Amino acid sequence: MTETQSSSHIPNEPPSVGVSVPRLNADVFVRGKAIFSADTIPANALHMRLVRSTQPKARIVSINSLAAEQTPGFVTLVTAEEMWPLTEPTPSRFSKDRFPGPLDVRPLALSEVRYVGEPVVAVVADSAANARLAADRVMVEYSPLPALLDPRDAISSENFVHPLWKTNVAAHDVIRVGDPESAFFEPDVVTVSGELSVDCSTSAPMEMRSYVAHWEPRSARLKIEGAFQMPHPSRWTIAHALRLKESQVQVVAPNIGGTFGLKMVGHPEEVLVGFLAIKTRRPVAFVEDRDECFLARGREQRHFFQIAAKPDGRIVAFRDRMIADIGAVGAGGGWQMALVAAAVMPTVYKIENCLIDCYLATTNKSPWQGIRGYGKEIGNLVVERAVELLAHELGMAANDLRRKNLIPSNAFPYRLPSGMMVDSGDYEPALNELELLKSRWPRHDRAVGDEFVIGHGYAFELTPEGAAFPGAVPSGFETATVKVDPSGEITVLASITSPGGGNETGLAQLVADVFGAPPHSITIRQGDTDVTPFGGGNSSSRSLMLCGAAAVSAAQDVRSKLARCAANLLKCEPANIVFNDGEVFSVHVPEKRLMFAAVALAVYTHPFTSGDGVELPLQSTKSYKAQNVRHSPDEHGRISAYPSYPYSVHAAEVEVSQDTGVVRILNYSVVHDCGTVINPSLVDGQMRGAVVMGIGAALWERMQMGEGGHKITDRLKNYLLPRASDIPPIEIGHRVTPSAFHPLGMKGAGESGVGGAMAAVINAVGNAIGPEAARRLNAVPATPERILRAMNGGRP
């Protein structure tokens, strides 16, 4: 046993939680040495290319593959006719109980296609180029059928996207509280009506989806490496679809170059590469191109809203009718975003009479895929536009109207009309802090008669996080294993994955503080279903909020074992043991110290003396299940599927050209509250990224579709993402109102910012062009042509 002697002074090692600890392994990314999905494809891999439907709806008359089979390097192909008898439908990420009929999702269309881009044939060749060439030579004959491309037509049509449903309404949710119909007719009520259309947009990550599957015949095991946001749920879906045991499937997720919701479960290519690897007994890879990436749709919806207030500004009623065009329903859970948009209303405002009528319409378009904000951004946008229009009608400053109707700080926990139970908040002080930040902006006077006009916009955003939807796999928990090896190395096996935001650093900080160790001494392992415990992976800001809490609990369990061993060695009580920077000592005799690694070794090598009373090994697995979640319906039949409710309030200053309609962002500030902050730099990075995404969605990002359901948007050249030169410095302020329902007070920080930025920028543009033009600006993104049309009285 090795001891170190020291002075009687006990070092006060500061905790790392709350400190901007540099990201683990940052040098690997900076030097370009990080391994991403496509880097894992071996040289001898075969490559898969999909033949996709060119029709929005049609019967498949015939498939002619003779020319493809004569292509150099061609290996094999598969159609639904071969694959369907050997596989099962891909399970849906969420419960199918909500749907109006059975849902049978397969990777390849059998007799009928439902949207342009639906996979019909999978072709395999010895290279990506030869696979593309062979796929281009497959001839598919279609007999076109009437397609539904307008969600309003789809709702009333008897031409069904999913024939077994006998309706095109995938879900219809009515949220009601109070008596909204009567409230709009109260005496002296001021009512404002509005409309807002939100165009289709997508997550557009830097790294697109990529998979490589390996089949080992001797062990009958399938390994798939790739851009998996949720490895364990993906293993479950792949195993079920391929009629394998889950123990026969290993899913590995290397570093991911951004996900933003796109890389969750249910993509057909995940099953196809596995099927083809089994068929060929060779590694089979698929790397998505940007045109295929643009099949991932989201957000397309239309809102018709009304808001009413007394002359003094007290809002008495809000209602919204929304129709979301979710396309054809796939195995993923993107369609759920529309229901979340409705459920978050009326966000941070206390309104006693509400009615939200939400329709999810299926059409002959590609399925919705997850996108950052997950619907909450649109609910916030609609409410903030309504508040802004109402303020003008009342002749009030918009922030005065907001203050008068914010949920007060002493009202939490507070139940929204949807049944969501908001855990905590401090809204008015956050607004005050934001106005202080804004007062420091460089001054820009509103131009009169010049080309440019200046506008300012504010917006609140409520962002429920940690989703625990009933029927989801998994629902509302994450798991962590913490172990200490004989060498003293501390390792965390986490059920979550990192999409690039650095949650592994936050995990290391949490565990490091339990052991009094530096964060960079902690080893974090994620993204391998053979190694890590079961959990949901990355979604809804659950990483540190759920898995962090599990990791702390597991670390505390292991620490107690080590404390018992150290107490045996130092002849003291375990409660008196201190762990600090690689050393262990008694608080009463600090001059007599042991090395942490020596204590760990003693447990394993002298378990009957030094390790007496210690349960071996030095390892613990704990799960944390979210609190403040209610799956049993309340008296109104509502559940609450989110445990925490971070919020933010945003201010934007814009310059609008009256000649061209072009918008430039001049200044931007935001105050954010995500409860306890583990790593401020990571939180700020998440917020800045989300704000940039929100600005892009507000002004530029739009997926356009031409005649017959064909995409016009097929590359980044015509899907306009924000550039660095488009964004000013983003100033961030913080408030901390810990969640009383979380052991560490955390609320999540991954999705806040998108909706607040969308609303603040749109409100700023409206402020710049004037109230009448702002009322006519009823579509997002606010493109130059739309702004000019609004300024010109609706004329082109």
Side-chain angles (χ1 to χ4, degrees):
M1 179 59 56
T2 302
E3 298 182 1
T4 62
Q5 300 298 320
S6 178
S7 68
S8 60
H9 174 67
I10 301 175
N12 184 20
E13 183 73 18
S16 64
V17 168
V19 177
S20 293
V21 172
R23 180 174 169 177
L24 299 185
N25 302 320
D27 61 312
V28 175
F29 294 90
V30 172
R31 292 187 289 108
K33 300 298 184 181
I35 302 298
F36 293 90
S37 296
D39 298 325
T40 66
I41 299 173
N44 68 332
L46 303 176
H47 291 261
M48 180 183 78
R49 181 73 182 175
L50 297 181
V51 180
R52 298 181 181 274
S53 168
T54 59
Q55 302 293 320
K57 187 174 184 180
R59 283 190 295 272
I60 300 173
V61 177
S62 64
I63 298 173
N64 187 332
S65 61
L66 291 178
E69 293 169 14
Q70 297 170 1
T71 303
F74 172 86
V75 175
T76 189
L77 60 77
V78 63
T79 65
E81 187 174 3
E82 174 189 350
M83 191 173 181
W84 278 46
L86 303 175
T87 58
E88 298 295 329
T90 304
S92 173
R93 183 189 172 203
F94 296 123
S95 171
K96 302 177 185 179
D97 296 344
R98 180 133 217 176
F99 294 144
L103 184 66
D104 188 350
V105 178
R106 303 278 186 156
L108 298 173
L110 178 61
S111 58
E112 185 177 304
V113 293
R114 300 174 300 160
Y115 59 90
V116 173
E118 183 173 12
V120 178
V121 182
V123 178
V124 177
D126 61 358
S127 70
N130 285 338
R132 180 185 291 270
L133 181 60
D136 289 343
R137 292 179 173 178
V138 174
M139 304 300 295
V140 182
E141 182 183 353
Y142 298 99
S143 176
L145 298 169
L148 293 166
L149 301 175
D150 187 315
R152 290 170 295 181
D153 294 340
I155 287 174
S156 58
S157 176
E158 294 187 0
N159 171 22
F160 305 122
V161 175
H162 297 274
L164 297 178
W165 286 9
K166 306 308 178 185
T167 179
N168 290 314
V169 178
H172 178 209
D173 195 11
V174 178
I175 300 170
R176 178 192 298 272
V177 65
D179 187 0
E181 291 85 356
S182 299
F184 278 98
F185 294 97
E186 290 182 8
D188 300 326
V189 163
V190 178
T191 300
V192 172
S193 300
E195 181 180 333
L196 187 66
S197 294
V198 181
D199 283 356
C200 180
S201 55
T202 190
S203 54
M206 183 181 298
E207 179 203 30
M208 292 163 288
R209 292 182 303 113
S210 172
Y211 313 105
V212 57
H214 309 256
W215 175 251
E216 174 50 61
R218 288 173 296 180
S219 61
R221 294 198 82 222
L222 177 68
K223 176 182 179 181
I224 304 182
E225 294 182 86
F228 290 100
Q229 195 170 330
M230 309 174 78
H232 283 280
S234 293
R235 181 185 68 171
W236 172 70
T237 60
I238 293 167
H240 181 90
L242 295 178
R243 296 179 180 170
L244 297 171
K245 297 177 181 179
E246 285 190 65
S247 59
Q248 290 181 273
V249 179
Q250 178 187 11
V251 172
V252 178
N255 296 303
I256 298 179
T259 60
F260 313 116
L262 172 63
K263 299 167 185 175
M264 292 193 281
V265 301
H267 295 284
E269 297 87 356
E270 300 167 4
V271 175
L272 285 168
V273 292
F275 181 88
L276 288 163
I278 295 171
K279 178 179 178 178
T280 62
R281 300 298 197 265
R282 294 270 302 277
V284 176
F286 168 78
V287 180
E288 184 179 56
D289 63 27
R290 187 59 69 178
D291 179 49
E292 292 174 306
C293 188
F294 279 120
L295 288 169
R297 298 172 55 252
R299 292 189 178 135
E300 187 174 358
Q301 56 198 270
R302 194 169 186 179
H303 294 259
F304 306 87
F305 60 83
Q306 283 185 306
I307 190 168
K310 294 290 187 178
D312 65 355
R314 182 174 63 88
I315 301 175
V316 297
F318 173 81
R319 61 185 174 192
D320 179 55
R321 183 175 185 266
M322 63 175 287
I323 301 174
D325 181 350
I326 63 171
V329 176
W335 54 270
Q336 184 89 17
M337 295 187 293
L339 296 175
V340 175
V344 77
M345 297 180 185
T347 68
V348 298
Y349 302 106
K350 186 176 182 180
I351 305 176
E352 296 180 353
N353 302 287
C354 292
L355 174 62
I356 296 98
D357 197 5
C358 172
Y359 288 87
L360 275 62
T362 57
T363 59
N364 292 113
K365 299 177 184 176
S366 55
W368 273 20
Q369 302 293 344
I371 185 170
R372 192 179 194 176
Y374 208 77
K376 293 159 269 188
E377 75 282 14
I378 306 303
N380 282 280
L381 171 64
V382 172
V383 171
E384 288 299 320
R385 284 303 296 145
V387 168
E388 199 79 8
L389 295 176
L390 179 61
H392 177 261
E393 191 71 20
L394 291 168
M396 295 179 65
N399 281 352
D400 290 343
L401 179 61
R402 290 185 172 95
R403 281 190 179 86
K404 196 172 190 69
N405 293 281
L406 290 170
I407 300 167
S409 300
N410 61 2
F412 297 99
Y414 181 88
R415 184 182 297 183
L416 295 179
S418 62
M420 287 184 176
M421 189 64 74
V422 184
D423 53 351
S424 66
D426 202 14
Y427 302 148
E428 185 171 354
L431 179 57
N432 295 339
E433 183 176 341
L434 180 68
E435 289 184 328
L436 179 61
L437 294 179
K438 181 179 177 295
S439 69
R440 301 169 184 163
W441 288 353
R443 186 170 298 279
H444 294 277
D445 294 325
R446 188 181 179 92
V448 179
D450 298 327
E451 177 186 349
F452 299 103
V453 289
I454 306 296
H456 301 91
Y458 286 85
F460 267 95
E461 178 186 38
L462 182 68
T463 316
E465 297 285 32
F469 297 118
V473 178
S475 180
F477 74 93
E478 291 296 339
T479 314
T481 297
V482 175
K483 62 179 185 176
V484 176
D485 294 330
S487 65
E489 180 183 5
I490 303 169
T491 300
V492 181
L493 310 176
S495 64
I496 59 171
T497 58
S498 174
N503 65 41
E504 64 276 11
T505 305
L507 273 179
Q509 289 177 253
L510 288 165
V511 171
D513 279 2
V514 174
F515 292 104
H520 285 77
S521 70
I522 309 297
T523 299
I524 307 293
R525 296 197 64 182
Q526 302 174 312
D528 185 340
T529 58
D530 272 10
V531 175
T532 61
F534 189 89
N538 175 262
S539 68
S540 195
S541 297
R542 55 197 291 137
S543 298
L544 292 187
M545 183 169 50
L546 301 189
C547 195
V552 167
S553 178
Q556 290 171 338
D557 192 21
V558 175
R559 184 192 183 281
S560 69
K561 296 181 182 184
L562 281 164
R564 165 60 66 183
C565 179
N568 291 340
L569 294 167
L570 293 171
K571 309 303 181 184
C572 66
E573 291 298 319
N576 296 330
I577 293 297
V578 175
F579 292 82
N580 188 79
D581 197 21
E583 295 181 327
V584 186
F585 55 91
S586 168
V587 69
H588 296 305
V589 191
E591 66 274 9
K592 189 175 183 182
R593 296 166 178 255
L594 306 172
M595 296 301 296
F596 180 90
V599 176
L601 183 61
V603 175
Y604 288 104
T605 58
H606 298 83
F608 300 99
T609 53
S610 302
D612 184 37
V614 178
E615 181 183 357
L616 293 174
L618 292 175
Q619 178 172 315
S620 178
T621 298
K622 298 287 186 180
S623 288
Y624 175 75
K625 185 168 67 174
Q627 305 303 302
N628 193 34
V629 170
R630 188 190 68 257
H631 284 178
S632 299
D634 61 15
E635 67 272 20
H636 303 294
R638 314 299 304 186
I639 66 170
S640 183
Y642 284 90
S644 73
Y645 296 78
Y647 66 92
S648 54
V649 57
H650 301 243
E653 182 179 48
V654 303
E655 175 189 84
V656 181
S657 168
Q658 298 187 89
D659 294 340
T660 65
V662 171
V663 178
R664 184 165 69 98
I665 314 293
L666 301 177
N667 286 292
Y668 201 98
S669 295
V670 55
V671 173
H672 180 218
D673 184 349
C674 62
T676 302
V677 176
I678 305 303
N679 187 311
S681 66
L682 296 181
V683 170
D684 285 358
Q686 290 292 303
M687 175 55 71
R688 288 192 171 94
V691 165
V692 171
M693 291 188 77
I695 291 172
L699 296 177
W700 303 298
E701 296 183 42
R702 176 168 56 152
M703 293 175 61
Q704 299 185 71
M705 182 175 290
E707 293 294 325
H710 289 82
K711 301 191 313 294
I712 295 174
T713 305
D714 60 354
R715 64 196 71 184
L716 293 180
K717 193 170 184 178
N718 49 33
Y719 186 81
L720 305 181
L721 292 168
R723 301 161 298 182
S725 58
D726 297 320
I727 307 297
I730 298 169
E731 185 179 21
I732 301 176
H734 290 283
R735 297 196 70 79
V736 177
T737 54
S739 174
F741 298 97
H742 190 277
L744 304 176
M746 289 192 286
K747 295 201 262 189
E751 292 185 307
S752 292
V754 179
M758 291 179 72
V761 168
I762 293 296
N763 285 342
V765 171
N767 177 253
I769 63 180
E772 295 307 316
R775 189 181 294 274
R776 291 188 290 266
L777 187 63
N778 56 13
V780 176
T783 58
E785 60 269 27
R786 285 171 171 170
I787 292 173
L788 290 176
R789 188 179 301 117
M791 296 173 69
N792 293 330
R795 298 183 301 277

